[in-house]
PDB file of all heavy atoms in Angstrom:
ATOM      1  N   LEU A  44     105.983 101.870  95.696  1.00  0.00           N
ATOM      2  CA  LEU A  44     104.805 101.268  95.067  1.00  0.00           C
ATOM      3  C   LEU A  44     105.186 100.211  94.036  1.00  0.00           C
ATOM      4  O   LEU A  44     104.540  99.154  93.940  1.00  0.00           O
ATOM      5  CB  LEU A  44     103.946 102.353  94.420  1.00  0.00           C
ATOM      6  CG  LEU A  44     103.253 103.309  95.386  1.00  0.00           C
ATOM      7  CD1 LEU A  44     102.570 104.440  94.613  1.00  0.00           C
ATOM      8  CD2 LEU A  44     102.252 102.572  96.254  1.00  0.00           C
ATOM      9  N   GLU A  45     106.222 100.470  93.262  1.00  0.00           N
ATOM     10  CA  GLU A  45     106.682  99.494  92.262  1.00  0.00           C
ATOM     11  C   GLU A  45     107.202  98.229  92.947  1.00  0.00           C
ATOM     12  O   GLU A  45     106.943  97.111  92.487  1.00  0.00           O
ATOM     13  CB  GLU A  45     107.751 100.106  91.367  1.00  0.00           C
ATOM     14  CG  GLU A  45     108.224  99.204  90.252  1.00  0.00           C
ATOM     15  CD  GLU A  45     107.131  98.821  89.261  1.00  0.00           C
ATOM     16  OE1 GLU A  45     106.114  99.532  89.138  1.00  0.00           O
ATOM     17  OE2 GLU A  45     107.297  97.793  88.585  1.00  0.00           O
ATOM     18  N   LEU A  46     107.945  98.392  94.039  1.00  0.00           N
ATOM     19  CA  LEU A  46     108.425  97.226  94.791  1.00  0.00           C
ATOM     20  C   LEU A  46     107.244  96.428  95.354  1.00  0.00           C
ATOM     21  O   LEU A  46     107.274  95.193  95.366  1.00  0.00           O
ATOM     22  CB  LEU A  46     109.358  97.659  95.923  1.00  0.00           C
ATOM     23  CG  LEU A  46     110.759  98.086  95.502  1.00  0.00           C
ATOM     24  CD1 LEU A  46     111.491  98.701  96.686  1.00  0.00           C
ATOM     25  CD2 LEU A  46     111.549  96.919  94.934  1.00  0.00           C
ATOM     26  N   GLU A  47     106.212  97.109  95.808  1.00  0.00           N
ATOM     27  CA  GLU A  47     105.017  96.426  96.321  1.00  0.00           C
ATOM     28  C   GLU A  47     104.338  95.630  95.208  1.00  0.00           C
ATOM     29  O   GLU A  47     103.959  94.471  95.394  1.00  0.00           O
ATOM     30  CB  GLU A  47     104.034  97.436  96.926  1.00  0.00           C
ATOM     31  CG  GLU A  47     102.766  96.814  97.449  1.00  0.00           C
ATOM     32  CD  GLU A  47     102.967  95.895  98.638  1.00  0.00           C
ATOM     33  OE1 GLU A  47     103.936  96.066  99.394  1.00  0.00           O
ATOM     34  OE2 GLU A  47     102.139  94.984  98.810  1.00  0.00           O
ATOM     35  N   ARG A  48     104.203  96.235  94.025  1.00  0.00           N
ATOM     36  CA  ARG A  48     103.600  95.520  92.885  1.00  0.00           C
ATOM     37  C   ARG A  48     104.437  94.297  92.518  1.00  0.00           C
ATOM     38  O   ARG A  48     103.911  93.212  92.288  1.00  0.00           O
ATOM     39  CB  ARG A  48     103.469  96.448  91.682  1.00  0.00           C
ATOM     40  CG  ARG A  48     102.309  97.410  91.767  1.00  0.00           C
ATOM     41  CD  ARG A  48     102.076  98.124  90.444  1.00  0.00           C
ATOM     42  NE  ARG A  48     103.075  99.135  90.170  1.00  0.00           N
ATOM     43  CZ  ARG A  48     103.004 100.411  90.569  1.00  0.00           C
ATOM     44  NH1 ARG A  48     101.968 100.819  91.268  1.00  0.00           N
ATOM     45  NH2 ARG A  48     103.952 101.265  90.267  1.00  0.00           N
ATOM     46  N   MET A  49     105.747  94.490  92.468  1.00  0.00           N
ATOM     47  CA  MET A  49     106.640  93.395  92.119  1.00  0.00           C
ATOM     48  C   MET A  49     106.569  92.301  93.173  1.00  0.00           C
ATOM     49  O   MET A  49     106.501  91.116  92.852  1.00  0.00           O
ATOM     50  CB  MET A  49     108.073  93.945  91.994  1.00  0.00           C
ATOM     51  CG  MET A  49     109.143  92.915  91.717  1.00  0.00           C
ATOM     52  SD  MET A  49     109.883  92.072  93.142  1.00  0.00           S
ATOM     53  CE  MET A  49     110.483  93.382  94.147  1.00  0.00           C
ATOM     54  N   ARG A  50     106.549  92.673  94.425  1.00  0.00           N
ATOM     55  CA  ARG A  50     106.514  91.699  95.522  1.00  0.00           C
ATOM     56  C   ARG A  50     105.262  90.839  95.445  1.00  0.00           C
ATOM     57  O   ARG A  50     105.303  89.627  95.699  1.00  0.00           O
ATOM     58  CB  ARG A  50     106.565  92.440  96.856  1.00  0.00           C
ATOM     59  CG  ARG A  50     106.699  91.547  98.057  1.00  0.00           C
ATOM     60  CD  ARG A  50     106.853  92.363  99.318  1.00  0.00           C
ATOM     61  NE  ARG A  50     105.600  92.928  99.725  1.00  0.00           N
ATOM     62  CZ  ARG A  50     104.862  92.479 100.748  1.00  0.00           C
ATOM     63  NH1 ARG A  50     105.284  91.459 101.458  1.00  0.00           N
ATOM     64  NH2 ARG A  50     103.729  93.050 101.047  1.00  0.00           N
ATOM     65  N   ASN A  51     104.148  91.434  95.076  1.00  0.00           N
ATOM     66  CA  ASN A  51     102.893  90.695  94.975  1.00  0.00           C
ATOM     67  C   ASN A  51     102.901  89.668  93.844  1.00  0.00           C
ATOM     68  O   ASN A  51     102.105  88.731  93.856  1.00  0.00           O
ATOM     69  CB  ASN A  51     101.708  91.647  94.801  1.00  0.00           C
ATOM     70  CG  ASN A  51     101.433  92.440  96.052  1.00  0.00           C
ATOM     71  OD1 ASN A  51     101.723  91.990  97.156  1.00  0.00           O
ATOM     72  ND2 ASN A  51     100.900  93.634  95.892  1.00  0.00           N
ATOM     73  N   ARG A  52     103.796  89.841  92.867  1.00  0.00           N
ATOM     74  CA  ARG A  52     103.864  88.913  91.729  1.00  0.00           C
ATOM     75  C   ARG A  52     104.885  87.798  91.930  1.00  0.00           C
ATOM     76  O   ARG A  52     104.935  86.864  91.141  1.00  0.00           O
ATOM     77  CB  ARG A  52     104.212  89.684  90.459  1.00  0.00           C
ATOM     78  CG  ARG A  52     103.136  90.643  90.004  1.00  0.00           C
ATOM     79  CD  ARG A  52     103.446  91.255  88.650  1.00  0.00           C
ATOM     80  NE  ARG A  52     104.722  91.923  88.588  1.00  0.00           N
ATOM     81  CZ  ARG A  52     104.912  93.238  88.611  1.00  0.00           C
ATOM     82  NH1 ARG A  52     103.876  94.046  88.698  1.00  0.00           N
ATOM     83  NH2 ARG A  52     106.107  93.757  88.531  1.00  0.00           N
ATOM     84  N   LEU A  53     105.699  87.906  92.963  1.00  0.00           N
ATOM     85  CA  LEU A  53     106.765  86.930  93.172  1.00  0.00           C
ATOM     86  C   LEU A  53     106.295  85.699  93.918  1.00  0.00           C
ATOM     87  O   LEU A  53     105.404  85.773  94.762  1.00  0.00           O
ATOM     88  CB  LEU A  53     107.906  87.571  93.973  1.00  0.00           C
ATOM     89  CG  LEU A  53     108.695  88.660  93.265  1.00  0.00           C
ATOM     90  CD1 LEU A  53     109.654  89.298  94.243  1.00  0.00           C
ATOM     91  CD2 LEU A  53     109.442  88.085  92.078  1.00  0.00           C
ATOM     92  N   CYS A  54     106.926  84.586  93.612  1.00  0.00           N
ATOM     93  CA  CYS A  54     106.612  83.339  94.308  1.00  0.00           C
ATOM     94  C   CYS A  54     107.629  83.046  95.413  1.00  0.00           C
ATOM     95  O   CYS A  54     107.301  82.354  96.372  1.00  0.00           O
ATOM     96  CB  CYS A  54     106.604  82.170  93.320  1.00  0.00           C
ATOM     97  SG  CYS A  54     105.317  82.317  92.076  1.00  0.00           S
ATOM     98  N   ASP A  55     108.828  83.572  95.269  1.00  0.00           N
ATOM     99  CA  ASP A  55     109.909  83.270  96.211  1.00  0.00           C
ATOM    100  C   ASP A  55     109.732  84.071  97.501  1.00  0.00           C
ATOM    101  O   ASP A  55     109.853  85.295  97.495  1.00  0.00           O
ATOM    102  CB  ASP A  55     111.252  83.602  95.562  1.00  0.00           C
ATOM    103  CG  ASP A  55     112.432  83.162  96.404  1.00  0.00           C
ATOM    104  OD1 ASP A  55     112.308  83.081  97.644  1.00  0.00           O
ATOM    105  OD2 ASP A  55     113.497  82.911  95.822  1.00  0.00           O
ATOM    106  N   PRO A  56     109.475  83.389  98.628  1.00  0.00           N
ATOM    107  CA  PRO A  56     109.242  84.105  99.882  1.00  0.00           C
ATOM    108  C   PRO A  56     110.467  84.894 100.370  1.00  0.00           C
ATOM    109  O   PRO A  56     110.314  85.910 101.037  1.00  0.00           O
ATOM    110  CB  PRO A  56     108.850  83.012 100.877  1.00  0.00           C
ATOM    111  CG  PRO A  56     109.229  81.724 100.250  1.00  0.00           C
ATOM    112  CD  PRO A  56     109.330  81.948  98.773  1.00  0.00           C
ATOM    113  N   ILE A  57     111.661  84.442 100.037  1.00  0.00           N
ATOM    114  CA  ILE A  57     112.870  85.160 100.460  1.00  0.00           C
ATOM    115  C   ILE A  57     112.962  86.500  99.734  1.00  0.00           C
ATOM    116  O   ILE A  57     113.217  87.536 100.351  1.00  0.00           O
ATOM    117  CB  ILE A  57     114.131  84.300 100.230  1.00  0.00           C
ATOM    118  CG1 ILE A  57     114.092  83.078 101.151  1.00  0.00           C
ATOM    119  CG2 ILE A  57     115.398  85.119 100.463  1.00  0.00           C
ATOM    120  CD1 ILE A  57     115.148  82.048 100.879  1.00  0.00           C
ATOM    121  N   VAL A  58     112.724  86.507  98.431  1.00  0.00           N
ATOM    122  CA  VAL A  58     112.761  87.750  97.670  1.00  0.00           C
ATOM    123  C   VAL A  58     111.614  88.661  98.104  1.00  0.00           C
ATOM    124  O   VAL A  58     111.780  89.880  98.188  1.00  0.00           O
ATOM    125  CB  VAL A  58     112.731  87.488  96.149  1.00  0.00           C
ATOM    126  CG1 VAL A  58     112.750  88.792  95.369  1.00  0.00           C
ATOM    127  CG2 VAL A  58     113.909  86.616  95.740  1.00  0.00           C
ATOM    128  N   GLN A  59     110.471  88.088  98.405  1.00  0.00           N
ATOM    129  CA  GLN A  59     109.353  88.889  98.915  1.00  0.00           C
ATOM    130  C   GLN A  59     109.748  89.603 100.212  1.00  0.00           C
ATOM    131  O   GLN A  59     109.439  90.772 100.404  1.00  0.00           O
ATOM    132  CB  GLN A  59     108.124  88.006  99.181  1.00  0.00           C
ATOM    133  CG  GLN A  59     107.429  87.548  97.940  1.00  0.00           C
ATOM    134  CD  GLN A  59     106.254  86.631  98.251  1.00  0.00           C
ATOM    135  OE1 GLN A  59     106.183  86.032  99.316  1.00  0.00           O
ATOM    136  NE2 GLN A  59     105.340  86.537  97.306  1.00  0.00           N
ATOM    137  N   GLN A  60     110.440  88.893 101.096  1.00  0.00           N
ATOM    138  CA  GLN A  60     110.879  89.478 102.364  1.00  0.00           C
ATOM    139  C   GLN A  60     111.906  90.582 102.127  1.00  0.00           C
ATOM    140  O   GLN A  60     111.844  91.631 102.761  1.00  0.00           O
ATOM    141  CB  GLN A  60     111.454  88.398 103.291  1.00  0.00           C
ATOM    142  CG  GLN A  60     111.890  88.927 104.640  1.00  0.00           C
ATOM    143  CD  GLN A  60     110.765  89.530 105.447  1.00  0.00           C
ATOM    144  OE1 GLN A  60     109.618  89.117 105.351  1.00  0.00           O
ATOM    145  NE2 GLN A  60     111.070  90.530 106.242  1.00  0.00           N
ATOM    146  N   VAL A  61     112.838  90.360 101.221  1.00  0.00           N
ATOM    147  CA  VAL A  61     113.847  91.381 100.904  1.00  0.00           C
ATOM    148  C   VAL A  61     113.165  92.631 100.350  1.00  0.00           C
ATOM    149  O   VAL A  61     113.500  93.756 100.731  1.00  0.00           O
ATOM    150  CB  VAL A  61     114.907  90.837  99.922  1.00  0.00           C
ATOM    151  CG1 VAL A  61     115.830  91.952  99.427  1.00  0.00           C
ATOM    152  CG2 VAL A  61     115.723  89.731 100.570  1.00  0.00           C
ATOM    153  N   ALA A  62     112.181  92.445  99.476  1.00  0.00           N
ATOM    154  CA  ALA A  62     111.450  93.583  98.917  1.00  0.00           C
ATOM    155  C   ALA A  62     110.719  94.337 100.018  1.00  0.00           C
ATOM    156  O   ALA A  62     110.727  95.576 100.046  1.00  0.00           O
ATOM    157  CB  ALA A  62     110.469  93.105  97.844  1.00  0.00           C
ATOM    158  N   LYS A  63     110.100  93.609 100.936  1.00  0.00           N
ATOM    159  CA  LYS A  63     109.380  94.251 102.040  1.00  0.00           C
ATOM    160  C   LYS A  63     110.341  95.065 102.903  1.00  0.00           C
ATOM    161  O   LYS A  63     110.047  96.203 103.269  1.00  0.00           O
ATOM    162  CB  LYS A  63     108.676  93.198 102.886  1.00  0.00           C
ATOM    163  CG  LYS A  63     107.891  93.781 104.028  1.00  0.00           C
ATOM    164  CD  LYS A  63     107.168  92.708 104.804  1.00  0.00           C
ATOM    165  CE  LYS A  63     106.405  93.322 105.971  1.00  0.00           C
ATOM    166  NZ  LYS A  63     105.727  92.309 106.757  1.00  0.00           N
ATOM    167  N   GLN A  64     111.494  94.486 103.218  1.00  0.00           N
ATOM    168  CA  GLN A  64     112.498  95.191 104.022  1.00  0.00           C
ATOM    169  C   GLN A  64     112.976  96.448 103.303  1.00  0.00           C
ATOM    170  O   GLN A  64     113.156  97.500 103.929  1.00  0.00           O
ATOM    171  CB  GLN A  64     113.687  94.261 104.309  1.00  0.00           C
ATOM    172  CG  GLN A  64     113.375  93.143 105.250  1.00  0.00           C
ATOM    173  CD  GLN A  64     114.465  92.089 105.311  1.00  0.00           C
ATOM    174  OE1 GLN A  64     114.213  91.033 105.836  1.00  0.00           O
ATOM    175  NE2 GLN A  64     115.639  92.326 104.786  1.00  0.00           N
ATOM    176  N   ALA A  65     113.179  96.350 101.999  1.00  0.00           N
ATOM    177  CA  ALA A  65     113.625  97.509 101.220  1.00  0.00           C
ATOM    178  C   ALA A  65     112.578  98.613 101.250  1.00  0.00           C
ATOM    179  O   ALA A  65     112.910  99.793 101.394  1.00  0.00           O
ATOM    180  CB  ALA A  65     113.938  97.097  99.780  1.00  0.00           C
ATOM    181  N   MET A  66     111.301  98.243 101.133  1.00  0.00           N
ATOM    182  CA  MET A  66     110.227  99.239 101.167  1.00  0.00           C
ATOM    183  C   MET A  66     110.178  99.951 102.511  1.00  0.00           C
ATOM    184  O   MET A  66     110.017 101.174 102.567  1.00  0.00           O
ATOM    185  CB  MET A  66     108.880  98.581 100.869  1.00  0.00           C
ATOM    186  CG  MET A  66     108.735  98.130  99.436  1.00  0.00           C
ATOM    187  SD  MET A  66     107.098  97.470  99.052  1.00  0.00           S
ATOM    188  CE  MET A  66     106.976  96.076 100.130  1.00  0.00           C
ATOM    189  N   VAL A  67     110.319  99.195 103.599  1.00  0.00           N
ATOM    190  CA  VAL A  67     110.298  99.792 104.937  1.00  0.00           C
ATOM    191  C   VAL A  67     111.458 100.777 105.085  1.00  0.00           C
ATOM    192  O   VAL A  67     111.281 101.898 105.569  1.00  0.00           O
ATOM    193  CB  VAL A  67     110.354  98.695 106.024  1.00  0.00           C
ATOM    194  CG1 VAL A  67     110.623  99.289 107.398  1.00  0.00           C
ATOM    195  CG2 VAL A  67     109.063  97.888 106.033  1.00  0.00           C
ATOM    196  N   LYS A  68     112.631 100.375 104.644  1.00  0.00           N
ATOM    197  CA  LYS A  68     113.794 101.251 104.767  1.00  0.00           C
ATOM    198  C   LYS A  68     113.673 102.482 103.868  1.00  0.00           C
ATOM    199  O   LYS A  68     114.071 103.576 104.259  1.00  0.00           O
ATOM    200  CB  LYS A  68     115.072 100.470 104.465  1.00  0.00           C
ATOM    201  CG  LYS A  68     115.383  99.440 105.539  1.00  0.00           C
ATOM    202  CD  LYS A  68     116.599  98.626 105.193  1.00  0.00           C
ATOM    203  CE  LYS A  68     116.871  97.563 106.240  1.00  0.00           C
ATOM    204  NZ  LYS A  68     118.033  96.736 105.882  1.00  0.00           N
ATOM    205  N   LEU A  69     113.116 102.307 102.666  1.00  0.00           N
ATOM    206  CA  LEU A  69     112.900 103.457 101.789  1.00  0.00           C
ATOM    207  C   LEU A  69     111.935 104.458 102.419  1.00  0.00           C
ATOM    208  O   LEU A  69     112.094 105.672 102.244  1.00  0.00           O
ATOM    209  CB  LEU A  69     112.352 103.013 100.432  1.00  0.00           C
ATOM    210  CG  LEU A  69     113.359 102.490  99.429  1.00  0.00           C
ATOM    211  CD1 LEU A  69     112.636 101.958  98.197  1.00  0.00           C
ATOM    212  CD2 LEU A  69     114.357 103.554  99.046  1.00  0.00           C
ATOM    213  N   ALA A  70     110.954 103.966 103.144  1.00  0.00           N
ATOM    214  CA  ALA A  70     109.982 104.851 103.792  1.00  0.00           C
ATOM    215  C   ALA A  70     110.632 105.696 104.886  1.00  0.00           C
ATOM    216  O   ALA A  70     110.121 106.754 105.232  1.00  0.00           O
ATOM    217  CB  ALA A  70     108.837 104.029 104.365  1.00  0.00           C
ATOM    218  N   GLU A  71     111.771 105.248 105.386  1.00  0.00           N
ATOM    219  CA  GLU A  71     112.442 105.929 106.494  1.00  0.00           C
ATOM    220  C   GLU A  71     113.499 106.944 106.056  1.00  0.00           C
ATOM    221  O   GLU A  71     114.039 107.653 106.892  1.00  0.00           O
ATOM    222  CB  GLU A  71     113.074 104.895 107.422  1.00  0.00           C
ATOM    223  CG  GLU A  71     112.053 103.993 108.089  1.00  0.00           C
ATOM    224  CD  GLU A  71     112.674 102.853 108.865  1.00  0.00           C
ATOM    225  OE1 GLU A  71     113.893 102.598 108.730  1.00  0.00           O
ATOM    226  OE2 GLU A  71     111.925 102.196 109.608  1.00  0.00           O
ATOM    227  N   ILE A  72     113.813 107.000 104.763  1.00  0.00           N
ATOM    228  CA  ILE A  72     114.826 107.949 104.310  1.00  0.00           C
ATOM    229  C   ILE A  72     114.159 109.140 103.628  1.00  0.00           C
ATOM    230  O   ILE A  72     112.975 109.101 103.310  1.00  0.00           O
ATOM    231  CB  ILE A  72     115.861 107.289 103.358  1.00  0.00           C
ATOM    232  CG1 ILE A  72     115.208 106.848 102.054  1.00  0.00           C
ATOM    233  CG2 ILE A  72     116.586 106.145 104.067  1.00  0.00           C
ATOM    234  CD1 ILE A  72     116.191 106.413 100.981  1.00  0.00           C
ATOM    235  N   SER A  73     114.937 110.169 103.391  1.00  0.00           N
ATOM    236  CA  SER A  73     114.389 111.374 102.749  1.00  0.00           C
ATOM    237  C   SER A  73     114.424 111.239 101.226  1.00  0.00           C
ATOM    238  O   SER A  73     115.165 110.414 100.674  1.00  0.00           O
ATOM    239  CB  SER A  73     115.203 112.599 103.171  1.00  0.00           C
ATOM    240  OG  SER A  73     116.495 112.544 102.585  1.00  0.00           O
ATOM    241  N   ASP A  74     113.624 112.071 100.575  1.00  0.00           N
ATOM    242  CA  ASP A  74     113.644 112.111  99.115  1.00  0.00           C
ATOM    243  C   ASP A  74     115.020 112.533  98.615  1.00  0.00           C
ATOM    244  O   ASP A  74     115.505 112.025  97.604  1.00  0.00           O
ATOM    245  CB  ASP A  74     112.585 113.079  98.584  1.00  0.00           C
ATOM    246  CG  ASP A  74     111.171 112.554  98.786  1.00  0.00           C
ATOM    247  OD1 ASP A  74     110.982 111.324  98.833  1.00  0.00           O
ATOM    248  OD2 ASP A  74     110.254 113.381  98.899  1.00  0.00           O
ATOM    249  N   GLU A  75     115.655 113.458  99.326  1.00  0.00           N
ATOM    250  CA  GLU A  75     116.987 113.916  98.934  1.00  0.00           C
ATOM    251  C   GLU A  75     117.993 112.774  98.959  1.00  0.00           C
ATOM    252  O   GLU A  75     118.789 112.607  98.033  1.00  0.00           O
ATOM    253  CB  GLU A  75     117.458 115.042  99.858  1.00  0.00           C
ATOM    254  CG  GLU A  75     118.827 115.566  99.493  1.00  0.00           C
ATOM    255  CD  GLU A  75     119.324 116.640 100.442  1.00  0.00           C
ATOM    256  OE1 GLU A  75     118.646 116.973 101.418  1.00  0.00           O
ATOM    257  OE2 GLU A  75     120.427 117.143 100.177  1.00  0.00           O
ATOM    258  N   ASP A  76     117.963 111.964 100.030  1.00  0.00           N
ATOM    259  CA  ASP A  76     118.863 110.814 100.098  1.00  0.00           C
ATOM    260  C   ASP A  76     118.590 109.849  98.949  1.00  0.00           C
ATOM    261  O   ASP A  76     119.506 109.372  98.287  1.00  0.00           O
ATOM    262  CB  ASP A  76     118.722 110.080 101.432  1.00  0.00           C
ATOM    263  CG  ASP A  76     119.353 110.823 102.590  1.00  0.00           C
ATOM    264  OD1 ASP A  76     120.218 111.690 102.349  1.00  0.00           O
ATOM    265  OD2 ASP A  76     118.979 110.543 103.742  1.00  0.00           O
TER     266      ASP A  76
END
Side-chain angles (χ1 to χ4, degrees):
L44 292 173
E45 184 62 23
L46 285 171
E47 179 66 26
R48 282 190 286 272
M49 176 274 304
R50 187 175 76 105
N51 290 332
R52 293 187 304 256
L53 292 173
C54 296
D55 187 333
I57 294 171
V58 179
Q59 287 178 339
Q60 182 62 31
V61 171
K63 181 178 179 181
Q64 290 169 194
M66 290 184 298
V67 168
K68 291 177 182 178
L69 279 174
E71 296 172 348
I72 66 170
S73 70
D74 290 333
E75 181 182 2
D76 286 340

